[in-house]
Amino acid sequence: MLKGKNEIVQNYLSSIPFDRRLYAQDIVGSIAHARMLAKQSIITNDDAKTIESGLLRIKEKIEEGRFKYNPEYEDIHMNIEAELYKEIGEIAGKLHTARSRNDQIALDLRLFLKEQISTVLRCLSTLQEILIRKAEVNISTIIPGYTHLQQAQPILIAHHILAYFDMFQRDKERFSSCYERVDVMPLGSGALAGVTYPIDRSAVAKDLGFSSVTSNSIDAVSDRDFIIEYHAAAAITMMHLSRFADELILWSTSEFGFITINSNFTSGSSIMPQKRNPDIAELIRGKTGRVYGNLMAILTCMKALPLSYNRDLQEDKEGLFDTVDTLEHSLTIFTDMIDTVQFNTEQIRTAFKNDYVLATDIADYLVQKGLPFREAHAVVSRLSNYAVKCKKNFNELSLKEYQDFSPFFDDDVYKLTIDKSISSRDVFGGTAPQQVKSAIERYWKLIKNENK
Ligand code: ARG
Protein backbone atom coordinates (compact mmCIF):
# COMPACT_ATOMS: atom_id res chain seq x y z
CA MET A 1 0.00 0.00 0.00
CA LEU A 2 1.11 3.54 -0.73
CA LYS A 3 2.18 5.54 2.25
CA GLY A 4 -0.44 8.22 1.53
CA LYS A 5 -3.17 5.64 1.34
CA ASN A 6 -2.06 4.09 4.60
CA GLU A 7 -2.50 7.39 6.28
CA ILE A 8 -5.99 7.82 4.87
CA VAL A 9 -6.96 4.41 6.18
CA GLN A 10 -5.39 5.14 9.52
CA ASN A 11 -7.31 8.38 9.83
CA TYR A 12 -10.48 6.63 8.81
CA LEU A 13 -10.04 4.10 11.61
CA SER A 14 -9.02 6.62 14.17
CA SER A 15 -11.34 7.95 16.85
CA ILE A 16 -8.71 9.84 18.80
CA PRO A 17 -9.69 13.29 17.45
CA PHE A 18 -13.00 12.94 19.29
CA ASP A 19 -12.82 10.15 21.87
CA ARG A 20 -9.98 11.95 23.65
CA ARG A 21 -12.85 13.70 25.35
CA LEU A 22 -13.27 10.50 27.39
CA TYR A 23 -9.77 10.57 28.88
CA ALA A 24 -10.93 11.17 32.48
CA GLN A 25 -13.49 8.37 32.36
CA ASP A 26 -10.94 6.05 30.77
CA ILE A 27 -8.42 6.73 33.51
CA VAL A 28 -10.82 6.48 36.41
CA GLY A 29 -12.14 3.22 34.96
CA SER A 30 -8.62 1.82 34.57
CA ILE A 31 -7.71 2.72 38.13
CA ALA A 32 -10.78 0.92 39.50
CA HIS A 33 -9.96 -2.07 37.31
CA ALA A 34 -6.32 -2.19 38.50
CA ARG A 35 -7.35 -1.94 42.14
CA MET A 36 -9.78 -4.81 41.73
CA LEU A 37 -7.12 -6.93 39.95
CA ALA A 38 -4.86 -6.44 42.97
CA LYS A 39 -7.59 -7.15 45.48
CA GLN A 40 -8.26 -10.42 43.66
CA SER A 41 -4.51 -11.20 43.59
CA ILE A 42 -4.49 -11.19 39.79
CA ILE A 43 -1.72 -8.57 39.90
CA THR A 44 0.31 -7.46 42.92
CA ASN A 45 -0.57 -4.50 45.10
CA ASP A 46 2.67 -2.82 44.14
CA ASP A 47 1.89 -3.15 40.45
CA ALA A 48 -1.58 -1.72 40.99
CA LYS A 49 -0.10 1.23 42.85
CA THR A 50 2.46 1.83 40.11
CA ILE A 51 -0.27 1.67 37.48
CA GLU A 52 -2.48 4.03 39.44
CA SER A 53 0.18 6.66 39.95
CA GLY A 54 1.25 6.39 36.32
CA LEU A 55 -2.32 6.93 35.18
CA LEU A 56 -2.72 9.92 37.49
CA ARG A 57 0.42 11.48 36.05
CA ILE A 58 -1.00 11.00 32.56
CA LYS A 59 -4.23 12.66 33.63
CA GLU A 60 -2.27 15.62 34.89
CA LYS A 61 -0.34 15.79 31.62
CA ILE A 62 -3.54 15.80 29.60
CA GLU A 63 -5.13 18.46 31.78
CA GLU A 64 -2.08 20.67 31.59
CA GLY A 65 -1.95 20.30 27.82
CA ARG A 66 1.38 18.47 27.89
CA PHE A 67 0.05 15.20 26.48
CA LYS A 68 0.94 14.42 22.88
CA TYR A 69 -1.79 12.36 21.28
CA ASN A 70 -0.21 9.96 18.86
CA PRO A 71 -2.26 9.32 15.69
CA GLU A 72 -0.57 5.92 15.35
CA TYR A 73 -2.69 4.75 18.25
CA GLU A 74 -6.22 4.85 17.05
CA ASP A 75 -8.19 5.68 20.15
CA ILE A 76 -8.03 7.13 23.64
CA HIS A 77 -7.54 3.70 25.25
CA MET A 78 -4.46 2.90 23.18
CA ASN A 79 -3.02 6.38 23.55
CA ILE A 80 -3.21 6.21 27.31
CA GLU A 81 -1.88 2.67 27.42
CA ALA A 82 1.07 3.60 25.20
CA GLU A 83 1.83 6.56 27.43
CA LEU A 84 1.62 4.34 30.50
CA TYR A 85 4.43 2.22 29.08
CA LYS A 86 6.51 5.37 28.86
CA GLU A 87 5.65 6.27 32.44
CA ILE A 88 6.05 2.92 34.21
CA GLY A 89 7.59 0.49 31.72
CA GLU A 90 6.57 -3.15 31.32
CA ILE A 91 4.13 -3.16 34.26
CA ALA A 92 1.80 -1.14 32.04
CA GLY A 93 1.15 -4.35 30.15
CA LYS A 94 -0.66 -5.81 33.18
CA LEU A 95 -3.47 -3.25 33.20
CA HIS A 96 -5.34 -4.78 30.31
CA THR A 97 -5.57 -8.19 32.02
CA ALA A 98 -9.19 -9.39 32.09
CA ARG A 99 -10.37 -6.49 29.97
CA SER A 100 -11.06 -5.65 26.34
CA ARG A 101 -11.49 -2.31 24.65
CA ASN A 102 -15.03 -3.46 23.99
CA ASP A 103 -16.10 -3.42 27.61
CA GLN A 104 -13.73 -0.52 28.31
CA ILE A 105 -15.44 1.83 25.84
CA ALA A 106 -18.86 0.78 27.09
CA LEU A 107 -17.70 1.72 30.58
CA ASP A 108 -16.26 5.08 29.51
CA LEU A 109 -19.46 6.04 27.72
CA ARG A 110 -21.59 5.12 30.70
CA LEU A 111 -19.42 7.10 33.10
CA PHE A 112 -19.54 10.05 30.73
CA LEU A 113 -23.32 9.96 30.29
CA LYS A 114 -23.97 9.67 34.01
CA GLU A 115 -22.25 13.01 34.51
CA GLN A 116 -23.97 14.58 31.53
CA ILE A 117 -27.42 13.52 32.66
CA SER A 118 -26.79 14.99 36.11
CA THR A 119 -25.80 18.27 34.43
CA VAL A 120 -28.90 18.31 32.24
CA LEU A 121 -31.11 17.64 35.24
CA ARG A 122 -29.55 20.60 37.06
CA CYS A 123 -29.97 22.85 34.01
CA LEU A 124 -33.62 21.86 33.66
CA SER A 125 -34.31 22.59 37.33
CA THR A 126 -32.68 26.01 37.07
CA LEU A 127 -34.82 26.79 34.04
CA GLN A 128 -37.92 25.67 35.90
CA GLU A 129 -37.08 27.95 38.82
CA ILE A 130 -36.78 30.91 36.48
CA LEU A 131 -40.15 30.01 34.98
CA ILE A 132 -41.83 29.97 38.38
CA ARG A 133 -40.32 33.36 39.18
CA LYS A 134 -41.52 34.77 35.84
CA ALA A 135 -44.99 33.41 36.55
CA GLU A 136 -44.98 34.99 40.02
CA VAL A 137 -43.93 38.42 38.79
CA ASN A 138 -46.52 38.41 35.99
CA ILE A 139 -49.29 36.75 37.95
CA SER A 140 -51.96 39.32 37.01
CA THR A 141 -51.15 39.69 33.32
CA ILE A 142 -53.84 38.38 31.01
CA ILE A 143 -53.27 37.37 27.40
CA PRO A 144 -55.49 35.83 24.79
CA GLY A 145 -54.93 32.08 24.83
CA TYR A 146 -54.66 30.59 21.37
CA THR A 147 -55.72 27.43 19.61
CA HIS A 148 -54.87 27.16 15.91
CA LEU A 149 -53.09 30.47 16.60
CA GLN A 150 -56.55 32.06 16.78
CA GLN A 151 -57.59 33.93 19.90
CA ALA A 152 -59.58 31.36 21.85
CA GLN A 153 -60.06 32.13 25.55
CA PRO A 154 -58.37 34.56 27.93
CA ILE A 155 -55.65 33.07 30.14
CA LEU A 156 -53.05 34.22 32.63
CA ILE A 157 -49.66 34.55 31.03
CA ALA A 158 -48.35 32.85 34.19
CA HIS A 159 -50.43 29.81 33.31
CA HIS A 160 -48.96 29.79 29.82
CA ILE A 161 -45.39 30.03 31.15
CA LEU A 162 -46.02 27.24 33.62
CA ALA A 163 -47.18 24.95 30.83
CA TYR A 164 -43.47 24.75 30.02
CA PHE A 165 -42.71 23.90 33.63
CA ASP A 166 -44.75 20.73 33.16
CA MET A 167 -43.00 19.89 29.90
CA PHE A 168 -39.55 20.28 31.45
CA GLN A 169 -40.70 18.19 34.42
CA ARG A 170 -41.50 15.34 32.06
CA ASP A 171 -38.10 15.85 30.44
CA LYS A 172 -36.46 15.42 33.83
CA GLU A 173 -38.44 12.25 34.41
CA ARG A 174 -37.25 10.90 31.07
CA PHE A 175 -33.60 11.73 31.79
CA SER A 176 -33.84 10.26 35.30
CA SER A 177 -35.33 7.09 33.93
CA CYS A 178 -32.63 6.89 31.25
CA TYR A 179 -30.03 7.35 34.00
CA GLU A 180 -31.12 4.05 35.55
CA ARG A 181 -30.21 2.21 32.35
CA VAL A 182 -26.91 4.06 32.07
CA ASP A 183 -26.01 3.30 35.66
CA VAL A 184 -24.99 -0.33 35.01
CA MET A 185 -21.33 -1.41 35.00
CA PRO A 186 -20.19 -3.42 31.93
CA LEU A 187 -16.55 -4.23 32.80
CA GLY A 188 -15.86 -7.94 33.09
CA SER A 189 -17.67 -8.69 29.84
CA GLY A 190 -14.31 -8.78 28.07
CA ALA A 191 -14.44 -8.86 24.29
CA LEU A 192 -17.88 -10.49 24.38
CA ALA A 193 -17.89 -13.72 26.38
CA GLY A 194 -16.66 -12.75 29.81
CA VAL A 195 -13.12 -13.28 31.14
CA THR A 196 -11.15 -16.20 32.51
CA TYR A 197 -9.86 -14.47 35.67
CA PRO A 198 -11.48 -14.52 39.13
CA ILE A 199 -12.48 -10.85 38.96
CA ASP A 200 -14.91 -9.05 41.28
CA ARG A 201 -17.27 -7.06 39.07
CA SER A 202 -19.33 -5.71 41.97
CA ALA A 203 -16.23 -4.24 43.58
CA VAL A 204 -15.50 -2.27 40.39
CA ALA A 205 -19.13 -1.14 40.20
CA LYS A 206 -19.02 0.02 43.80
CA ASP A 207 -15.71 1.79 43.35
CA LEU A 208 -17.04 3.67 40.33
CA GLY A 209 -20.44 4.45 41.86
CA PHE A 210 -22.58 2.19 39.69
CA SER A 211 -25.80 0.71 41.08
CA SER A 212 -25.43 -2.69 39.40
CA VAL A 213 -23.50 -4.72 36.84
CA THR A 214 -24.59 -5.84 33.36
CA SER A 215 -25.91 -9.39 33.30
CA ASN A 216 -25.04 -10.59 29.80
CA SER A 217 -21.55 -10.05 28.42
CA ILE A 218 -22.66 -10.17 24.78
CA ASP A 219 -25.32 -7.55 25.30
CA ALA A 220 -23.01 -5.46 27.46
CA VAL A 221 -20.41 -4.86 24.73
CA SER A 222 -22.93 -4.23 21.96
CA ASP A 223 -25.66 -2.34 23.79
CA ARG A 224 -26.02 1.35 23.01
CA ASP A 225 -29.68 1.64 24.04
CA PHE A 226 -28.68 3.92 26.88
CA ILE A 227 -27.17 6.35 24.35
CA ILE A 228 -30.23 6.17 22.12
CA GLU A 229 -32.46 6.86 25.09
CA TYR A 230 -30.36 9.86 25.98
CA HIS A 231 -30.66 11.13 22.39
CA ALA A 232 -34.41 10.62 22.45
CA ALA A 233 -34.80 12.47 25.74
CA ALA A 234 -32.55 15.24 24.42
CA ALA A 235 -34.57 15.48 21.20
CA ILE A 236 -37.79 15.94 23.17
CA THR A 237 -36.24 18.58 25.42
CA MET A 238 -34.94 20.44 22.37
CA MET A 239 -38.40 20.21 20.84
CA HIS A 240 -39.79 21.87 23.97
CA LEU A 241 -37.13 24.57 23.90
CA SER A 242 -37.81 25.08 20.22
CA ARG A 243 -41.55 25.54 20.76
CA PHE A 244 -40.86 28.04 23.51
CA ALA A 245 -38.26 29.81 21.37
CA ASP A 246 -40.79 29.96 18.57
CA GLU A 247 -43.34 31.62 20.84
CA LEU A 248 -40.77 34.16 21.98
CA ILE A 249 -40.03 34.94 18.34
CA LEU A 250 -43.74 35.38 17.65
CA TRP A 251 -44.38 37.40 20.82
CA SER A 252 -41.48 39.73 20.07
CA THR A 253 -42.78 40.71 16.62
CA SER A 254 -44.21 44.20 16.25
CA GLU A 255 -47.55 42.54 15.44
CA PHE A 256 -47.70 40.91 18.88
CA GLY A 257 -45.34 43.05 20.91
CA PHE A 258 -45.99 40.97 24.07
CA ILE A 259 -42.32 40.80 25.00
CA THR A 260 -38.99 42.45 24.47
CA ILE A 261 -36.05 40.09 24.28
CA ASN A 262 -32.96 41.48 25.97
CA SER A 263 -30.50 42.87 23.47
CA ASN A 264 -27.88 40.34 24.62
CA PHE A 265 -29.95 37.76 22.75
CA THR A 266 -30.87 39.71 19.64
CA SER A 267 -28.91 41.32 16.90
CA GLY A 268 -29.47 44.24 14.60
CA SER A 269 -29.81 43.99 10.88
CA SER A 270 -26.98 45.36 8.79
CA ILE A 271 -29.33 47.34 6.54
CA MET A 272 -32.55 47.81 8.49
CA PRO A 273 -31.74 49.75 11.65
CA GLN A 274 -35.19 49.27 13.24
CA LYS A 275 -34.79 45.51 13.48
CA ARG A 276 -33.98 43.39 16.50
CA ASN A 277 -33.65 39.90 15.25
CA PRO A 278 -34.27 37.14 17.80
CA ASP A 279 -31.21 35.20 16.61
CA ILE A 280 -30.66 33.17 19.75
CA ALA A 281 -34.23 31.91 19.84
CA GLU A 282 -33.97 31.13 16.14
CA LEU A 283 -30.73 29.22 16.63
CA ILE A 284 -32.22 27.14 19.42
CA ARG A 285 -35.09 26.30 17.09
CA GLY A 286 -32.61 25.54 14.32
CA LYS A 287 -30.27 23.41 16.40
CA THR A 288 -33.19 21.18 17.35
CA GLY A 289 -32.83 19.74 13.85
CA ARG A 290 -29.29 18.50 14.40
CA VAL A 291 -30.25 16.89 17.70
CA TYR A 292 -33.01 14.96 15.90
CA GLY A 293 -30.42 14.09 13.26
CA ASN A 294 -28.06 12.63 15.83
CA LEU A 295 -30.87 10.43 17.18
CA MET A 296 -31.63 9.19 13.67
CA ALA A 297 -27.94 8.57 12.98
CA ILE A 298 -27.39 6.29 15.97
CA LEU A 299 -30.68 4.45 15.44
CA THR A 300 -29.74 3.83 11.84
CA CYS A 301 -26.21 2.84 12.76
CA MET A 302 -27.54 0.16 15.10
CA LYS A 303 -30.40 -1.22 13.07
CA ALA A 304 -28.73 -4.19 11.37
CA LEU A 305 -25.79 -4.85 13.66
CA PRO A 306 -25.27 -8.50 14.46
CA LEU A 307 -24.15 -9.25 18.00
CA SER A 308 -21.82 -8.38 19.52
CA TYR A 309 -19.28 -5.56 19.17
CA ASN A 310 -18.81 -4.17 15.66
CA ARG A 311 -16.64 -1.27 14.69
CA ASP A 312 -19.74 0.60 13.53
CA LEU A 313 -20.23 1.34 17.22
CA GLN A 314 -17.32 3.76 17.15
CA GLU A 315 -19.74 6.04 15.29
CA ASP A 316 -21.75 6.49 18.50
CA LYS A 317 -19.49 9.23 19.82
CA GLU A 318 -19.47 12.33 17.63
CA GLY A 319 -23.25 12.61 17.52
CA LEU A 320 -23.42 12.04 21.24
CA PHE A 321 -20.88 14.75 22.03
CA ASP A 322 -22.63 17.10 19.64
CA THR A 323 -26.00 16.53 21.28
CA VAL A 324 -24.54 16.81 24.78
CA ASP A 325 -23.02 20.20 23.93
CA THR A 326 -25.95 21.50 21.93
CA LEU A 327 -28.41 20.57 24.65
CA GLU A 328 -26.42 21.99 27.53
CA HIS A 329 -25.62 25.25 25.73
CA SER A 330 -29.18 25.66 24.49
CA LEU A 331 -30.57 25.10 27.96
CA THR A 332 -28.28 27.58 29.71
CA ILE A 333 -28.64 30.26 27.05
CA PHE A 334 -32.40 29.85 26.90
CA THR A 335 -32.58 30.15 30.68
CA ASP A 336 -30.69 33.44 30.65
CA MET A 337 -32.82 34.70 27.80
CA ILE A 338 -36.15 33.93 29.45
CA ASP A 339 -34.85 35.31 32.74
CA THR A 340 -34.29 38.71 31.12
CA VAL A 341 -37.35 38.78 28.87
CA GLN A 342 -39.53 41.78 29.53
CA PHE A 343 -43.31 41.42 29.34
CA ASN A 344 -44.92 44.54 27.84
CA THR A 345 -48.11 44.67 29.89
CA GLU A 346 -49.41 47.82 28.15
CA GLN A 347 -49.08 46.28 24.72
CA ILE A 348 -50.50 42.96 25.93
CA ARG A 349 -53.64 44.75 27.08
CA THR A 350 -54.32 45.88 23.52
CA ALA A 351 -54.02 42.32 22.24
CA PHE A 352 -57.72 41.70 22.66
CA LYS A 353 -59.00 43.32 19.48
CA ASN A 354 -62.57 42.46 20.51
CA ASP A 355 -64.33 40.47 23.21
CA TYR A 356 -65.04 37.41 21.09
CA VAL A 357 -62.76 35.40 23.38
CA LEU A 358 -65.79 35.42 25.69
CA ALA A 359 -67.81 33.27 23.30
CA THR A 360 -67.34 30.10 25.34
CA ASP A 361 -68.30 31.98 28.50
CA ILE A 362 -71.51 33.16 26.86
CA ALA A 363 -72.29 29.57 25.88
CA ASP A 364 -71.58 28.47 29.46
CA TYR A 365 -73.87 31.28 30.64
CA LEU A 366 -76.72 29.85 28.56
CA VAL A 367 -76.01 26.40 29.97
CA GLN A 368 -76.39 27.83 33.46
CA LYS A 369 -79.76 29.20 32.37
CA GLY A 370 -80.82 25.70 31.41
CA LEU A 371 -79.86 25.25 27.75
CA PRO A 372 -78.01 22.03 26.80
CA PHE A 373 -74.39 22.86 25.86
CA ARG A 374 -74.64 21.83 22.20
CA GLU A 375 -77.63 24.13 21.71
CA ALA A 376 -75.94 26.94 23.60
CA HIS A 377 -72.90 26.52 21.36
CA ALA A 378 -75.07 26.83 18.25
CA VAL A 379 -76.78 29.96 19.58
CA VAL A 380 -73.48 31.67 20.35
CA SER A 381 -72.12 30.63 16.99
CA ARG A 382 -75.02 32.44 15.28
CA LEU A 383 -74.63 35.36 17.68
CA SER A 384 -70.88 35.63 16.84
CA ASN A 385 -71.55 35.65 13.11
CA TYR A 386 -74.04 38.42 13.65
CA ALA A 387 -71.66 40.46 15.84
CA VAL A 388 -68.84 40.07 13.35
CA LYS A 389 -71.14 41.11 10.51
CA CYS A 390 -72.23 44.31 12.21
CA LYS A 391 -68.71 44.94 13.58
CA LYS A 392 -69.82 45.03 17.20
CA ASN A 393 -68.32 43.59 20.35
CA PHE A 394 -70.56 41.29 22.37
CA ASN A 395 -70.90 43.95 25.04
CA GLU A 396 -72.08 46.44 22.41
CA LEU A 397 -75.09 44.33 21.46
CA SER A 398 -78.43 45.40 22.94
CA LEU A 399 -80.39 42.99 25.11
CA LYS A 400 -82.99 42.91 22.35
CA GLU A 401 -80.33 41.76 19.89
CA TYR A 402 -79.21 39.05 22.35
CA GLN A 403 -82.76 37.90 22.90
CA ASP A 404 -83.34 37.60 19.15
CA PHE A 405 -80.96 34.66 19.40
CA SER A 406 -82.26 33.14 22.63
CA PRO A 407 -84.88 34.07 25.23
CA PHE A 408 -82.48 32.83 27.91
CA PHE A 409 -80.41 36.01 27.65
CA ASP A 410 -80.89 38.53 30.42
CA ASP A 411 -79.27 41.71 31.73
CA ASP A 412 -76.63 39.77 33.62
CA VAL A 413 -75.02 38.75 30.33
CA TYR A 414 -73.21 42.10 30.47
CA LYS A 415 -71.44 40.94 33.64
CA LEU A 416 -69.33 38.52 31.62
CA THR A 417 -65.87 40.02 31.45
CA ILE A 418 -62.39 38.81 30.66
CA ASP A 419 -61.47 38.82 34.37
CA LYS A 420 -64.53 36.77 35.21
CA SER A 421 -63.83 34.41 32.38
CA ILE A 422 -60.45 33.67 33.89
CA SER A 423 -61.52 33.39 37.51
CA SER A 424 -64.37 31.05 36.60
CA ARG A 425 -61.94 28.44 35.24
CA ASP A 426 -61.38 27.39 38.79
CA VAL A 427 -60.60 23.75 38.24
CA PHE A 428 -57.39 21.93 39.18
CA GLY A 429 -54.99 22.64 36.32
CA GLY A 430 -57.07 25.61 35.08
CA THR A 431 -56.17 29.26 34.57
CA ALA A 432 -58.07 30.83 37.52
CA PRO A 433 -55.65 32.97 39.58
CA GLN A 434 -56.25 30.80 42.67
CA GLN A 435 -55.36 27.68 40.72
CA VAL A 436 -52.25 29.22 39.21
CA LYS A 437 -51.12 30.47 42.61
CA SER A 438 -51.50 27.05 44.14
CA ALA A 439 -49.69 25.54 41.16
CA ILE A 440 -46.81 27.90 41.87
CA GLU A 441 -46.72 26.70 45.49
CA ARG A 442 -46.79 23.09 44.36
CA TYR A 443 -43.97 23.67 41.88
CA TRP A 444 -41.75 25.37 44.45
CA LYS A 445 -42.25 22.42 46.77
CA LEU A 446 -41.43 19.99 43.99
CA ILE A 447 -38.21 21.80 43.10
CA LYS A 448 -37.16 22.14 46.72
CA ASN A 449 -37.80 18.45 47.37
CA GLU A 450 -35.75 17.46 44.34
CA ASN A 451 -32.86 19.64 45.51
CA LYS A 452 -32.76 17.95 48.90
N1 ARG B 1 -12.44 2.98 19.53
C1 ARG B 1 -13.33 1.88 19.71
C2 ARG B 1 -14.77 2.37 19.80
O1 ARG B 1 -14.94 3.51 20.04
C3 ARG B 1 -13.00 1.15 20.97
C4 ARG B 1 -13.34 -0.29 20.92
C5 ARG B 1 -12.52 -0.95 19.89
N2 ARG B 1 -12.67 -2.37 19.91
C6 ARG B 1 -12.24 -3.13 18.89
N3 ARG B 1 -12.44 -4.37 18.99
N4 ARG B 1 -11.64 -2.60 17.84
O2 ARG B 1 -15.71 1.64 19.63
Side-chain angles (χ1 to χ4, degrees):
M1 246 193 281
L2 292 169
K3 197 168 179 287
K5 188 156 189 204
N6 254 332
E7 207 177 294
I8 292 174
V9 172
Q10 200 180 57
N11 288 341
Y12 201 75
L13 281 168
S14 173
S15 54
I16 193 66
F18 47 91
D19 70 5
R20 48 192 278 186
R21 186 162 173 177
L22 297 172
Y23 79 90
Q25 290 77 14
D26 203 66
I27 287 174
V28 91
S30 287
I31 291 175
H33 181 64
R35 281 187 195 154
M36 179 280 292
L37 291 178
K39 200 178 129 252
Q40 298 299 104
S41 309
I42 300 167
I43 63 174
T44 65
N45 275 326
D46 282 351
D47 286 350
K49 281 198 187 111
T50 309
I51 289 172
E52 180 165 344
S53 59
L55 286 169
L56 289 175
R57 285 200 297 280
I58 294 173
K59 184 162 186 257
E60 226 174 76
K61 258 193 194 172
I62 294 176
E63 282 166 0
E64 288 167 4
R66 290 185 287 117
F67 190 92
K68 291 240 172 333
Y69 290 97
N70 186 343
E72 270 172 45
Y73 305 112
E74 61 186 27
D75 57 25
I76 185 66
H77 324 298
M78 293 172 86
N79 262 273
I80 291 178
E81 195 177 334
E83 188 72 13
L84 192 59
Y85 272 95
K86 283 195 217 152
E87 285 286 335
I88 63 172
E90 285 310 307
I91 295 170
K94 299 190 178 184
L95 172 61
H96 214 49
T97 315
R99 192 175 69 170
S100 152
R101 277 188 295 153
N102 296 354
D103 54 359
Q104 190 176 354
I105 186 60
L107 175 74
D108 293 2
L109 286 166
R110 286 170 181 275
L111 284 167
F112 173 77
L113 258 190
K114 280 179 67 171
E115 279 172 43
Q116 295 309 323
I117 292 175
S118 305
T119 307
V120 171
L121 287 172
R122 271 197 307 277
C123 290
L124 282 165
S125 292
T126 309
L127 172 53
Q128 284 180 307
E129 278 192 43
I130 300 293
L131 295 184
I132 310 180
R133 283 185 214 288
K134 279 278 152 190
E136 279 175 339
V137 176
N138 296 285
I139 190 71
S140 45
T141 305
I142 296 170
I143 55 166
Y146 295 82
T147 61
H148 313 273
L149 215 51
Q150 306 279 319
Q151 296 198 356
Q153 290 169 358
I155 54 169
L156 292 187
I157 203 166
H159 195 47
H160 189 112
I161 294 169
L162 292 175
Y164 286 96
F165 182 101
D166 276 24
M167 298 186 217
F168 294 128
Q169 189 60 27
R170 291 196 295 276
D171 291 338
K172 289 199 313 197
E173 287 166 16
R174 263 182 290 272
F175 279 112
S176 303
S177 165
C178 167
Y179 187 93
E180 289 171 29
R181 255 91 55 207
V182 181
D183 189 20
V184 191
M185 208 289 297
L187 230 51
S189 304
L192 83 160
V195 298
T196 54
Y197 301 86
I199 58 169
D200 182 349
R201 301 188 61 209
S202 303
V204 178
K206 198 163 163 227
D207 198 1
L208 293 172
F210 281 94
S211 300
S212 61
V213 300
T214 54
S215 69
N216 180 300
S217 60
I218 302 170
D219 178 44
V221 295
S222 66
D223 169 33
R224 295 293 182 271
D225 293 3
F226 61 97
I227 291 183
I228 297 174
E229 281 187 52
Y230 172 85
H231 276 288
I236 296 175
T237 300
M238 284 302 294
M239 178 267 288
H240 289 155
L241 283 179
S242 182
R243 291 182 72 175
F244 209 163
D246 192 68
E247 294 207 300
L248 297 186
I249 293 167
L250 195 67
W251 286 359
S252 69
T253 57
S254 39
E255 286 77 3
F256 271 79
F258 286 8
I259 58 166
T260 306
I261 300 176
N262 186 285
S263 58
N264 277 335
F265 306 95
T266 61
S267 47
S269 151
S270 46
I271 52 169
M272 295 161 285
Q274 83 283 13
K275 285 182 75 185
R276 285 177 72 165
N277 300 330
D279 296 35
I280 290 289
E282 289 172 327
L283 272 174
I284 289 170
R285 192 174 58 183
K287 283 175 190 291
T288 302
R290 69 200 273 165
V291 171
Y292 291 0
N294 291 333
L295 168 64
M296 275 307 127
I298 182 72
L299 277 171
T300 313
C301 174
M302 300 290 295
K303 81 175 269 288
L305 283 193
L307 292 174
S308 59
Y309 180 86
N310 298 274
R311 192 60 177 268
D312 315 44
L313 291 176
Q314 184 165 291
E315 283 294 305
D316 60 3
K317 289 169 202 63
E318 284 164 290
L320 176 64
F321 295 153
D322 184 57
T323 287
V324 157
D325 293 337
T326 307
L327 179 62
E328 195 187 322
H329 298 158
S330 302
L331 273 171
T332 35
I333 293 173
F334 187 90
T335 301
D336 290 346
M337 181 166 64
I338 194 79
D339 192 21
T340 52
V341 145
Q342 187 197 310
F343 287 93
N344 306 325
T345 22
E346 283 302 308
Q347 178 74 19
I348 289 173
R349 221 166 277 147
T350 66
F352 295 96
K353 302 289 179 229
N354 49 51
D355 62 2
Y356 299 155
V357 285
L358 294 178
T360 323
D361 297 271
I362 297 177
D364 290 337
Y365 163 94
L366 289 175
V367 170
Q368 267 174 29
K369 301 274 174 178
L371 217 58
F373 180 77
R374 281 289 168 219
E375 245 175 85
H377 182 276
V379 168
V380 179
S381 174
R382 286 194 292 273
L383 182 75
S384 303
N385 287 340
Y386 172 79
V388 170
K389 214 162 71 204
C390 41
K391 298 201 172 78
K392 282 185 179 174
N393 275 324
F394 286 135
N395 69 4
E396 289 165 346
L397 299 173
S398 68
L399 188 56
K400 160 94 183 39
E401 283 173 304
Y402 269 117
Q403 284 172 344
D404 282 346
F405 289 88
S406 166
F408 284 93
F409 281 118
D410 215 335
D411 252 355
D412 53 355
V413 71
Y414 295 104
K415 287 194 186 140
L416 295 176
T417 62
I418 284 178
D419 280 325
K420 263 195 98 188
S421 163
I422 289 196
S423 60
S424 61
R425 288 190 163 67
D426 193 11
V427 59
F428 183 87
T431 197
Q434 276 324 307
Q435 292 295 341
V436 176
K437 279 178 196 153
S438 68
I440 288 175
E441 269 172 44
R442 247 184 1 256
Y443 291 157
W444 272 133
K445 259 194 215 138
L446 189 73
I447 292 281
K448 284 184 180 140
N449 264 335
E450 286 174 352
N451 287 347
K452 261 185 205 158

